[in-house]
Structure formats: structure tokens, C-alpha cells
Amino acid sequence: MSKIKAGDTAAVFGAGPIGLLVVEALRVAGASQIHVVEPSDVRRKKALELGATSAIDPTSADAVAAIRAATGGVHVAFEVTGVPQVLPQCIDATRHEGQTLIVSIWEKEAAFHPNTVVLKERQLLGTIAYRNVYPAVMELMTQGYFNADKLVTKRIAIEDIVPEGFEALVAEKSHVKILVKAPE
């Protein structure tokens, strides 16, 4: 649904599993620069492994300023955090007539000043992840794109699913995907 095309610049706010797949999709689509904003060091490194141009820690740097300095504003920014204060940053990271694509499912309301969209003629669009894309994604996977193994940050036995799986995911936000091995 984004208007990204080969040679365009992009920003991805959030490098969880969906954000990282967005990074890989942008790489496959030919984005010339992909800037990722993510507080987790593990996830930032994973984004760089998957083809991000830069990975910015928003707790130690002004992500929007860094993205605008590198690109003048990206063509398309993807909001993949669901964190209310990130939405206006995502919009601000785009150029005149840029697009912000909201991918997250939200638990709280988010606010932004409408003039940030109106005065720069930006587009704001939302999408749900499950839009009949599976056949195309599966075909790309058979061609070597979207290597799911790169998203696995931990492998555990099924008997460790509570302490090493569920509790680890609640306690740490650095994991991307934890793979559970079934008993043989």
C-alpha cells in the first residue's frame, strides 16, 4: 500500500518482527536508504543485518533530525510501534508530499498536529498486515528473500516455554522471535 519505489528513501519506526520484515521488504523493493528507529540494541543490529542503512537509538539521538539530515525527509515512513509519541515523529520524518504508513495496532490514542500533514501535503495511510499477501511472500521466500531464520533470536525446548519463552518476552523487549522446538 505504500508508494515506495526503487531508489526512494524510507524510515521504519520500530524493529520488532513486523518492522524487520518491513525493512527486508523495502530492501527487496529497491529502497536506496532505509533508516530504522529502535531503542533495543539487539533489534537495531538485526535491522542492519537485514539491510538497513542506519539504526538510530531514539533514547540517545533525535531520530527525526538524523533522518532528515541524511535524506531531507524520506519518501515513506512506516510506523510499526503503536507508541503514541512516535506517530508525529514518523510524520515529521517525511518530505514534502511524503507518505506515512501506519502498520501498528493501537491500544491508546495518538495525537499529531494536522498542519504537519496539510502544509507539506503529506499522506497518512493505515494498513492491516493480513491483506492476501501470503502467496506473493511465499513465492519470494522460495526465491531466497525473507529469510525467517534471521528473525530468530533464541531457540528453546517446549518444556522451557514459560520461563524462557513467555517470561523472557515480557521481561525483555530485545527478542525478535523465539523458536520453540517440539519434542522428538
Side-chain angles (χ1 to χ4, degrees), residues 161-176:
I161 197 166
V162 172
E164 297 293 320
F166 296 124
E167 290 175 3
L169 287 172
V170 170
E172 309 170 42
K173 295 299 180 194
S174 61
H175 285 293
V176 178

Side-chain angles (χ1 to χ4, degrees), residues 2 16 22 32 36 44 51 67 73-74 96 104-106 121 127 129-130 132 134 137 142-143 171 176:
S2 81
V22 169
S32 63
V36 174
R44 283 194 314 275
I67 291 167
V74 293
H96 182 86
S104 300
I105 301 297
W106 294 75
E121 298 181 318
T127 185
Y130 310 107
N132 304 316
Y134 292 113
V137 171
T142 63
Q143 294 176 29
V176 178

Side-chain angles (χ1 to χ4, degrees), residues 80-182:
V80 200
T81 68
V83 176
Q85 62 267 31
V86 173
L87 180 58
Q89 294 173 6
C90 206
I91 294 167
D92 289 342
T94 64
R95 63 182 53 209
H96 182 86
E97 296 182 343
Q99 181 187 53
T100 298
L101 191 63
I102 302 170
V103 182
S104 300
I105 301 297
W106 294 75
E107 294 179 15
K108 298 178 183 173
E109 289 186 19
F112 65 94
H113 196 295
N115 283 348
T116 62
V117 174
V118 173
L119 297 177
K120 293 200 175 186
E121 298 181 318
R122 293 169 164 146
Q123 296 177 353
L124 191 59
L125 191 64
T127 185
I128 189 74
Y130 310 107
R131 290 203 51 198
N132 304 316
V133 297
Y134 292 113
V137 171
M138 296 306 287
E139 178 59 31
L140 287 169
M141 287 181 88
T142 63
Q143 294 176 29
Y145 299 103
F146 303 112
N147 184 344
D149 284 339
K150 290 183 179 180
L151 299 177
V152 177
T153 52
K154 187 175 184 181
R155 296 173 190 272
I156 62 172
I158 196 160
E159 56 268 10
D160 296 326
I161 197 166
V162 172
E164 297 293 320
F166 296 124
E167 290 175 3
L169 287 172
V170 170
E172 309 170 42
K173 295 299 180 194
S174 61
H175 285 293
V176 178
K177 285 290 183 186
I178 298 176
L179 187 64
V180 180
K181 184 178 178 184

Side-chain angles (χ1 to χ4, degrees), residues 14-83:
I18 295 171
L20 291 171
L21 287 170
V22 169
V23 168
E24 195 155 12
L26 288 165
R27 184 182 54 76
V28 171
S32 63
Q33 294 182 43
I34 305 166
H35 301 276
V36 174
V37 180
E38 169 61 49
S40 163
D41 183 54
V42 171
R43 290 179 173 188
R44 283 194 314 275
K45 287 178 182 169
K46 190 62 71 174
L48 292 169
E49 280 178 40
L50 292 172
T53 307
S54 73
I56 305 159
D57 180 354
T59 65
S60 63
D62 181 337
V64 173
I67 291 167
R68 293 191 71 73
T71 65
V74 293
H75 292 90
V76 183
F78 296 81
E79 196 298 314
V80 200
T81 68
V83 176

